[in-house]
Short mmCIF file of all heavy atoms in Angstrom, two decimals:
data_model
loop_
_atom_site.label_atom_id
_atom_site.label_comp_id
_atom_site.label_asym_id
_atom_site.label_seq_id
_atom_site.Cartn_x
_atom_site.Cartn_y
_atom_site.Cartn_z
N ARG A 8 55.02 204.72 -15.40
CA ARG A 8 54.88 204.91 -16.85
C ARG A 8 53.55 205.61 -17.16
O ARG A 8 53.45 206.35 -18.11
CB ARG A 8 54.91 203.56 -17.58
CG ARG A 8 56.20 202.88 -17.39
CD ARG A 8 56.26 201.59 -18.26
NE ARG A 8 55.23 200.60 -17.99
CZ ARG A 8 54.34 200.14 -18.82
NH1 ARG A 8 54.30 200.65 -20.05
NH2 ARG A 8 53.51 199.20 -18.43
N PHE A 9 52.50 205.34 -16.35
CA PHE A 9 51.11 205.89 -16.61
C PHE A 9 50.83 206.89 -15.57
O PHE A 9 51.22 206.84 -14.41
CB PHE A 9 50.12 204.79 -16.54
CG PHE A 9 50.11 203.77 -17.68
CD1 PHE A 9 51.22 203.72 -18.58
CD2 PHE A 9 49.05 202.84 -17.81
CE1 PHE A 9 51.18 202.77 -19.63
CE2 PHE A 9 49.07 201.92 -18.88
CZ PHE A 9 50.18 201.89 -19.76
N THR A 10 50.03 207.87 -15.97
CA THR A 10 49.61 208.93 -15.01
C THR A 10 48.13 209.23 -15.27
O THR A 10 47.67 209.49 -16.44
CB THR A 10 50.39 210.21 -15.22
OG1 THR A 10 51.79 209.98 -15.10
CG2 THR A 10 49.95 211.24 -14.19
N ILE A 11 47.34 209.20 -14.21
CA ILE A 11 45.97 209.48 -14.26
C ILE A 11 45.77 210.93 -13.81
O ILE A 11 46.35 211.37 -12.89
CB ILE A 11 45.02 208.52 -13.44
CG1 ILE A 11 43.58 208.79 -13.71
CG2 ILE A 11 45.41 208.53 -11.95
CD1 ILE A 11 42.64 207.75 -13.09
N ALA A 12 44.79 211.65 -14.48
CA ALA A 12 44.46 213.03 -14.02
C ALA A 12 43.05 213.34 -14.38
O ALA A 12 42.45 212.71 -15.29
CB ALA A 12 45.42 214.05 -14.70
N ARG A 13 42.43 214.30 -13.66
CA ARG A 13 41.11 214.73 -13.95
C ARG A 13 41.09 216.21 -14.25
O ARG A 13 41.92 216.94 -13.69
CB ARG A 13 40.16 214.42 -12.73
CG ARG A 13 40.47 215.22 -11.46
CD ARG A 13 39.74 214.74 -10.29
NE ARG A 13 38.29 215.02 -10.41
CZ ARG A 13 37.35 214.63 -9.46
NH1 ARG A 13 37.77 213.99 -8.39
NH2 ARG A 13 36.14 214.99 -9.62
N ASP A 14 40.19 216.63 -15.11
CA ASP A 14 39.97 218.05 -15.38
C ASP A 14 38.48 218.32 -15.12
O ASP A 14 37.68 217.97 -15.97
CB ASP A 14 40.38 218.37 -16.78
CG ASP A 14 40.34 219.81 -17.16
OD1 ASP A 14 39.46 220.51 -16.68
OD2 ASP A 14 41.22 220.27 -18.00
N ASN A 15 38.20 218.93 -14.04
CA ASN A 15 36.78 219.17 -13.73
C ASN A 15 36.19 220.24 -14.61
O ASN A 15 34.94 220.34 -14.73
CB ASN A 15 36.70 219.64 -12.23
CG ASN A 15 37.02 218.56 -11.24
OD1 ASN A 15 36.82 217.36 -11.58
ND2 ASN A 15 37.53 218.87 -10.11
N VAL A 16 36.93 221.07 -15.23
CA VAL A 16 36.44 222.09 -16.16
C VAL A 16 35.98 221.46 -17.41
O VAL A 16 34.91 221.71 -17.94
CB VAL A 16 37.38 223.22 -16.43
CG1 VAL A 16 36.90 224.17 -17.49
CG2 VAL A 16 37.77 223.96 -15.15
N LYS A 17 36.78 220.51 -17.94
CA LYS A 17 36.46 219.81 -19.17
C LYS A 17 35.62 218.57 -18.92
O LYS A 17 35.29 217.86 -19.91
CB LYS A 17 37.73 219.48 -19.90
CG LYS A 17 38.54 220.64 -20.32
CD LYS A 17 39.79 220.28 -21.22
CE LYS A 17 40.60 221.47 -21.66
NZ LYS A 17 41.77 221.08 -22.37
N ASN A 18 35.34 218.26 -17.65
CA ASN A 18 34.67 217.04 -17.31
C ASN A 18 35.30 215.74 -17.91
O ASN A 18 34.61 214.92 -18.53
CB ASN A 18 33.16 217.08 -17.75
CG ASN A 18 32.45 218.22 -17.06
OD1 ASN A 18 32.76 218.50 -15.95
ND2 ASN A 18 31.55 218.85 -17.79
N THR A 19 36.59 215.69 -17.81
CA THR A 19 37.29 214.66 -18.50
C THR A 19 38.34 213.98 -17.58
O THR A 19 38.97 214.71 -16.75
CB THR A 19 38.05 215.18 -19.76
OG1 THR A 19 37.09 215.76 -20.62
CG2 THR A 19 38.83 214.12 -20.54
N VAL A 20 38.55 212.70 -17.72
CA VAL A 20 39.59 211.95 -17.01
C VAL A 20 40.55 211.54 -18.03
O VAL A 20 40.18 210.98 -19.05
CB VAL A 20 38.98 210.73 -16.24
CG1 VAL A 20 40.13 210.03 -15.50
CG2 VAL A 20 37.84 211.12 -15.38
N PHE A 21 41.84 211.73 -17.81
CA PHE A 21 42.95 211.38 -18.74
C PHE A 21 43.77 210.15 -18.19
O PHE A 21 43.89 209.98 -16.95
CB PHE A 21 43.82 212.58 -18.97
CG PHE A 21 43.12 213.80 -19.56
CD1 PHE A 21 42.75 214.81 -18.75
CD2 PHE A 21 42.83 213.88 -20.88
CE1 PHE A 21 42.12 215.89 -19.28
CE2 PHE A 21 42.23 214.96 -21.44
CZ PHE A 21 41.83 215.96 -20.63
N LEU A 22 44.38 209.50 -19.12
CA LEU A 22 45.36 208.51 -18.79
C LEU A 22 46.57 208.69 -19.77
O LEU A 22 46.41 208.37 -20.92
CB LEU A 22 44.87 207.07 -18.89
CG LEU A 22 45.82 205.96 -18.42
CD1 LEU A 22 46.08 206.10 -16.92
CD2 LEU A 22 45.32 204.59 -18.78
N GLN A 23 47.63 209.26 -19.22
CA GLN A 23 48.81 209.45 -19.98
C GLN A 23 49.69 208.20 -19.90
O GLN A 23 49.98 207.75 -18.83
CB GLN A 23 49.67 210.63 -19.49
CG GLN A 23 50.93 210.84 -20.24
CD GLN A 23 50.71 211.25 -21.72
OE1 GLN A 23 49.84 212.10 -21.98
NE2 GLN A 23 51.55 210.60 -22.58
N MET A 24 49.99 207.58 -21.01
CA MET A 24 50.67 206.25 -21.05
C MET A 24 52.00 206.45 -21.85
O MET A 24 51.94 206.81 -23.01
CB MET A 24 49.81 205.21 -21.74
CG MET A 24 48.49 205.03 -21.06
SD MET A 24 47.56 203.67 -21.77
CE MET A 24 47.33 204.24 -23.47
N ASN A 25 53.03 206.25 -21.14
CA ASN A 25 54.39 206.44 -21.74
C ASN A 25 55.12 205.11 -21.66
O ASN A 25 54.79 204.25 -20.91
CB ASN A 25 55.21 207.51 -20.93
CG ASN A 25 54.62 208.87 -21.05
OD1 ASN A 25 53.96 209.30 -21.94
ND2 ASN A 25 54.75 209.61 -19.93
N SER A 26 56.18 205.01 -22.49
CA SER A 26 57.06 203.79 -22.53
C SER A 26 56.20 202.51 -22.63
O SER A 26 56.28 201.56 -21.96
CB SER A 26 57.93 203.70 -21.23
OG SER A 26 58.64 204.80 -21.07
N LEU A 27 55.33 202.59 -23.59
CA LEU A 27 54.32 201.51 -23.80
C LEU A 27 55.02 200.16 -24.23
O LEU A 27 56.00 200.21 -24.97
CB LEU A 27 53.25 201.88 -24.82
CG LEU A 27 52.19 202.84 -24.28
CD1 LEU A 27 51.48 203.59 -25.39
CD2 LEU A 27 51.26 202.10 -23.38
N LYS A 28 54.49 199.12 -23.73
CA LYS A 28 55.02 197.70 -24.01
C LYS A 28 53.97 196.89 -24.68
O LYS A 28 52.74 197.26 -24.52
CB LYS A 28 55.37 197.12 -22.68
CG LYS A 28 56.33 197.91 -21.83
CD LYS A 28 56.62 197.20 -20.51
CE LYS A 28 57.57 198.03 -19.63
NZ LYS A 28 57.81 197.36 -18.29
N PRO A 29 54.32 195.89 -25.42
CA PRO A 29 53.34 194.98 -26.09
C PRO A 29 52.27 194.45 -25.03
O PRO A 29 51.12 194.26 -25.41
CB PRO A 29 54.19 193.91 -26.65
CG PRO A 29 55.42 194.62 -26.99
CD PRO A 29 55.72 195.58 -25.81
N GLU A 30 52.74 194.24 -23.85
CA GLU A 30 51.77 193.66 -22.81
C GLU A 30 50.80 194.68 -22.34
O GLU A 30 49.88 194.34 -21.56
CB GLU A 30 52.51 193.06 -21.61
CG GLU A 30 53.60 194.00 -21.05
CD GLU A 30 54.98 193.74 -21.53
OE1 GLU A 30 55.10 193.51 -22.80
OE2 GLU A 30 55.97 193.83 -20.73
N ASP A 31 50.85 195.93 -22.72
CA ASP A 31 49.89 196.97 -22.46
C ASP A 31 48.74 196.88 -23.44
O ASP A 31 47.74 197.57 -23.25
CB ASP A 31 50.48 198.36 -22.51
CG ASP A 31 51.47 198.65 -21.43
OD1 ASP A 31 51.26 198.16 -20.24
OD2 ASP A 31 52.53 199.25 -21.72
N THR A 32 48.81 196.07 -24.42
CA THR A 32 47.77 195.89 -25.43
C THR A 32 46.53 195.38 -24.74
O THR A 32 46.54 194.35 -24.10
CB THR A 32 48.17 194.93 -26.55
OG1 THR A 32 49.29 195.55 -27.33
CG2 THR A 32 47.02 194.66 -27.48
N ALA A 33 45.37 196.11 -24.97
CA ALA A 33 44.11 195.78 -24.31
C ALA A 33 43.08 196.79 -24.76
O ALA A 33 43.37 197.85 -25.36
CB ALA A 33 44.25 195.74 -22.80
N VAL A 34 41.86 196.53 -24.34
CA VAL A 34 40.78 197.47 -24.38
C VAL A 34 40.77 198.24 -23.02
O VAL A 34 40.73 197.55 -22.01
CB VAL A 34 39.42 196.89 -24.74
CG1 VAL A 34 38.30 197.96 -24.72
CG2 VAL A 34 39.42 196.17 -26.04
N TYR A 35 40.72 199.54 -23.13
CA TYR A 35 40.84 200.34 -21.89
C TYR A 35 39.48 200.98 -21.66
O TYR A 35 38.89 201.58 -22.52
CB TYR A 35 41.87 201.42 -22.04
CG TYR A 35 43.33 200.89 -21.84
CD1 TYR A 35 43.91 200.09 -22.84
CD2 TYR A 35 44.07 201.17 -20.72
CE1 TYR A 35 45.12 199.54 -22.72
CE2 TYR A 35 45.34 200.67 -20.58
CZ TYR A 35 45.91 199.84 -21.55
OH TYR A 35 47.17 199.38 -21.45
N TYR A 36 39.00 200.82 -20.37
CA TYR A 36 37.71 201.37 -19.97
C TYR A 36 37.84 202.36 -18.90
O TYR A 36 38.60 202.11 -17.93
CB TYR A 36 36.79 200.20 -19.47
CG TYR A 36 36.56 199.10 -20.48
CD1 TYR A 36 37.44 198.06 -20.58
CD2 TYR A 36 35.43 199.20 -21.33
CE1 TYR A 36 37.17 196.96 -21.46
CE2 TYR A 36 35.18 198.12 -22.23
CZ TYR A 36 36.03 197.07 -22.28
OH TYR A 36 35.83 196.04 -23.19
N CYS A 37 37.14 203.48 -19.02
CA CYS A 37 37.08 204.39 -17.88
C CYS A 37 35.86 204.22 -17.05
O CYS A 37 34.81 203.73 -17.64
CB CYS A 37 37.24 205.84 -18.37
SG CYS A 37 35.88 206.50 -19.23
N TYR A 38 35.86 204.72 -15.81
CA TYR A 38 34.66 204.65 -14.97
C TYR A 38 34.78 205.81 -14.02
O TYR A 38 35.85 206.38 -13.71
CB TYR A 38 34.64 203.33 -14.22
CG TYR A 38 35.70 203.21 -13.22
CD1 TYR A 38 35.50 203.52 -11.86
CD2 TYR A 38 36.96 202.71 -13.47
CE1 TYR A 38 36.48 203.55 -10.92
CE2 TYR A 38 37.97 202.56 -12.52
CZ TYR A 38 37.70 203.02 -11.26
OH TYR A 38 38.76 202.95 -10.33
N VAL A 39 33.53 206.11 -13.49
CA VAL A 39 33.42 207.15 -12.43
C VAL A 39 32.46 206.54 -11.37
O VAL A 39 31.58 205.78 -11.79
CB VAL A 39 32.95 208.47 -12.95
CG1 VAL A 39 34.00 209.17 -13.87
CG2 VAL A 39 31.56 208.39 -13.60
N TYR A 40 32.65 206.98 -10.14
CA TYR A 40 31.84 206.46 -9.10
C TYR A 40 31.41 207.65 -8.23
O TYR A 40 32.17 208.49 -7.83
CB TYR A 40 32.66 205.55 -8.24
CG TYR A 40 31.95 205.00 -7.05
CD1 TYR A 40 30.90 204.10 -7.09
CD2 TYR A 40 32.38 205.27 -5.76
CE1 TYR A 40 30.29 203.52 -6.02
CE2 TYR A 40 31.83 204.83 -4.60
CZ TYR A 40 30.74 204.03 -4.78
OH TYR A 40 30.14 203.42 -3.62
N ASN A 41 30.15 207.72 -7.91
CA ASN A 41 29.57 208.88 -7.23
C ASN A 41 29.23 208.60 -5.73
O ASN A 41 28.52 209.34 -5.14
CB ASN A 41 28.31 209.47 -7.95
CG ASN A 41 27.22 208.44 -7.97
OD1 ASN A 41 27.27 207.35 -7.42
ND2 ASN A 41 26.02 208.79 -8.58
N GLY A 42 29.70 207.48 -5.30
CA GLY A 42 29.35 207.05 -3.91
C GLY A 42 28.17 206.22 -3.76
O GLY A 42 27.92 205.50 -2.73
#
């Protein structure tokens, strides 16, 4: 249902969420890790 993707040109990480359910209700946090 969900798909993660990165765009290095836009410096952006995306999360496409389809077929959402009530149990998906939450605060969503993104993170990056440089090693």
Side-chain angles (χ1 to χ4, degrees):
R8 301 188 296 122
F9 290 12
T10 303
I11 186 172
R13 67 189 289 177
D14 187 326
N15 289 334
V16 174
K17 296 181 178 180
N18 299 326
T19 302
V20 183
F21 299 100
L22 185 68
Q23 177 66 44
M24 305 186 296
N25 299 326
S26 302
L27 284 161
K28 305 175 181 180
E30 50 264 42
D31 294 319
T32 295
V34 178
Y35 284 70
Y36 300 89
C37 71
Y38 69 93
V39 295
Y40 176 70
N41 64 1

